[in-house]
Amino acid sequence: MRKKIGTKLLAGILVAGMAMSLWACGGDGNNSGDSKRKDAKEVIADNQVKTPESDETAGADGTGAGKEDASGEQEPGKRTEYPLTITTYGSDGAELTTTYEQAPQKVLAVYQGSIETLLALGLEDHIAAAAGLDNEVPEDQKPGFTKLNYLDEFTPSLETVTMLEPDLIFSWGSLFGEKTLGDAGGWVEKGTNIYMNSNTHPKNGDTAYRKTLENEYTDILNIGKIFDVQDRAETIVKEMQDTIAEVKEKTKDREERPRVLILESMDDGFTNYNADSLGGDMVSQLGGILANPEGGTIGKEDVIAANPDVIFVVYMPYSGDDPKQLEQEKLNVILEDEAYASLDAVKNNRVVPIMLSEMYASATRTMDGIETFAKGLYPDLE
């Protein structure tokens, strides 16, 4: 992939500045602005392989990826023909066209879903650097994670990214900014491709868009095409699609559909994951009915008026949090408030926790979200 001389020159100029920047922040490996977040050394330690058994269920390279033959090559299947054109999004929310002459060899992966998607596809050897983990990667991805260069910076600065000279930057839309990874379109102009998780791209002007399961599927399939591992990507997506189809088939004759609220408690009220959210789309595709399909923020009176059959309580443990403690605290907002005691969901013990990472730009964790929602919607379903 082409590189402009100016990029390399800038990298050299920035070396001294980078050294001063690392010294200034104390070298503690946590520049997230949140002192509770674990530093890089702790994150690396948490993501080591804990048991020998974890390798037994993984793929040939220890990542849980697709089958390989004795030579280490992927078994024949769909092959990518380069040059490959992929449409993603720019920092302005507009579509951005990128071209790949070959599979990227030096990827910078920032944030949970980006890292886990690459590991799930067995692409750890293509990752030049990774950053931004809030939670441990799945156990079967830890052998692959141990090979990674995990950065001290939670969100790499533009200076760090420039020094790495990646040929692909894979991350969320909110991180492609002047004070973080840099402008998405600017990188493409300089010869470095970017891929932005589709359900995180900024609004294009005032135009909002729906976050959908199909967007998550597309991202996984596009990464499969970019790296010529299409069969692996299709296997992951097919499992998600098949699970939804199976649930719909088993529940097709039910006349009454569960009415649902997906709530994340805030200081004043709740974030309501509505029909435009990925969580809302998951529930709808599984046959549930959103009790409040429009409101983005709702209050106690709205929850009581909706009286849903099921309440999914959203929680998100960031590195440094106790997941179980945080989960219970979020559940208690509903369970310990007498004002909600008469709700059908509370009386019937159908207040269900779900991690934000399973239903918001969830990438390969989308499968976990589908299963959590399905079990909460249909607890009697086998």
Side-chain angles (χ1 to χ4, degrees), residues 260-271:
V260 175
L261 284 178
I262 309 169
L263 302 176
E264 182 177 5
S265 60
M266 313 300 285
D267 291 337
D268 183 19
F270 298 91
T271 295

Side-chain angles (χ1 to χ4, degrees), residues 29-69:
N30 178 2
N31 76 337
S32 67
D34 184 352
S35 61
K36 295 180 181 179
R37 272 196 165 114
K38 296 180 180 180
D39 65 27
K41 290 181 181 179
E42 291 179 285
V43 172
I44 292 170
D46 286 345
N47 284 280
Q48 298 303 299
V49 180
K50 292 182 172 59
T51 61
E53 290 79 8
S54 61
D55 279 344
E56 295 176 6
T57 56
D61 58 357
T63 64
K67 293 181 179 179
E68 298 183 351
D69 60 25

